[in-house]
């Protein structure tokens, strides 16, 4: 076997292996994600508290929680509802410790889409109540 043929076969094998690895890791929407992650109920409650601090909503539905391997960012997909109006968004988190906090504010994007839910003044910590909020947790 001559050298050219040998190197051609090696290149072909490398391409096939690379293609298999790429297709086995790709998520349908084109991003590479880690295995399915989940959040504790407390972490999800913390996110709800941070949302209702700045937004007036009737319900929060947690749709999906993933980690983008390329950026290392955690992505939380949620749907908010108020008076029959539904809006869906993805909230990025750089690290999981941010989910253990229930007092920080949380901005929703695109801002123009969520302006309809925005409170004129954020609620004080002691005024936040989840009693009137319907919550659909991950995995339910």
């Amino acid at each position: 076997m001559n050298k050219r043929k040998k190197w051609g076969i090696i290149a072909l094998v490398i391409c096939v292996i690379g293609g298999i690895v790429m297709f086995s890791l790709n998520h349908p929407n084109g991003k590479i994600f880690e295995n399915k992650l989940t959040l504790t109920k407390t972490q999800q409650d913390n996110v709800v508290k941070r949302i209702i601090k700045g937004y007036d909503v009737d319900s929060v539905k947690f749709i999906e929680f993933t980690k983008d391997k390329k950026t290392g960012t955690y992505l939380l997909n949620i749907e908010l509802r108020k008076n029959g109006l539904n809006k869906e968004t993805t909230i990025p988190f750089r690290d999981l410790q941010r989910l253990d906090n229930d007092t920080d504010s949380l901005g929703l994007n695109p801002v123009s889409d969520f302006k309809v839910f925005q409170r004129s003044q954020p609620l004080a910590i002691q005024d936040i109540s989840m009693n009137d909020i319907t919550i659909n947790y991950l995995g339910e």
Side-chain angles (χ1 to χ4, degrees):
M1 194 183 303
N2 65 27
K3 280 187 176 184
R4 220 178 235 175
K5 210 178 220 184
K6 188 176 177 181
W7 283 109
I9 291 172
I10 291 171
L12 180 65
V13 168
I14 290 171
C15 289
V16 168
I17 291 171
I20 290 169
V21 169
M22 276 182 22
F23 285 110
S24 67
L25 293 178
N26 266 345
H27 191 270
N29 62 8
K31 295 182 182 173
I32 298 176
F33 291 96
E34 274 187 14
N35 293 338
K36 192 160 184 137
L37 301 171
T38 190
L39 296 174
T40 66
K41 187 173 185 255
T42 302
Q43 289 172 318
Q44 293 175 73
D45 285 342
N46 290 342
V47 171
V48 172
K49 288 175 188 175
R50 291 170 67 180
I51 289 171
I52 61 177
K53 179 179 180 181
Y55 299 90
D56 185 20
V57 297
D58 294 331
S59 84
V60 177
K61 179 180 180 182
F62 291 89
I63 299 169
E64 183 180 34
F65 182 60
T66 56
K67 181 179 181 184
D68 186 319
K69 284 185 179 179
K70 289 181 181 178
T71 64
T73 304
Y74 295 93
L75 304 169
L76 179 60
N77 295 0
I78 61 167
E79 180 183 275
L80 303 178
R81 179 176 292 167
K82 175 71 177 182
N83 297 332
L85 179 63
N86 297 352
K87 295 284 182 180
E88 191 174 318
T89 191
T90 300
I91 305 170
F93 293 96
R94 192 51 89 183
D95 58 64
L96 291 177
Q97 286 78 18
R98 299 261 348 258
L99 297 166
D100 295 329
N101 180 339
D102 67 351
T103 58
D104 285 348
S105 296
L106 189 66
L108 301 175
N109 290 305
V111 174
S112 59
D113 285 359
F114 291 94
K115 195 164 192 75
V116 67
F117 296 131
Q118 198 164 12
R119 295 181 187 280
S120 57
Q121 289 289 2
L123 293 177
I125 302 300
Q126 65 273 13
D127 295 334
I128 294 175
S129 170
M130 297 190 327
N131 294 337
D132 298 330
I133 307 292
T134 302
I135 304 171
N136 293 13
Y137 296 98
L138 287 171
E140 285 187 345

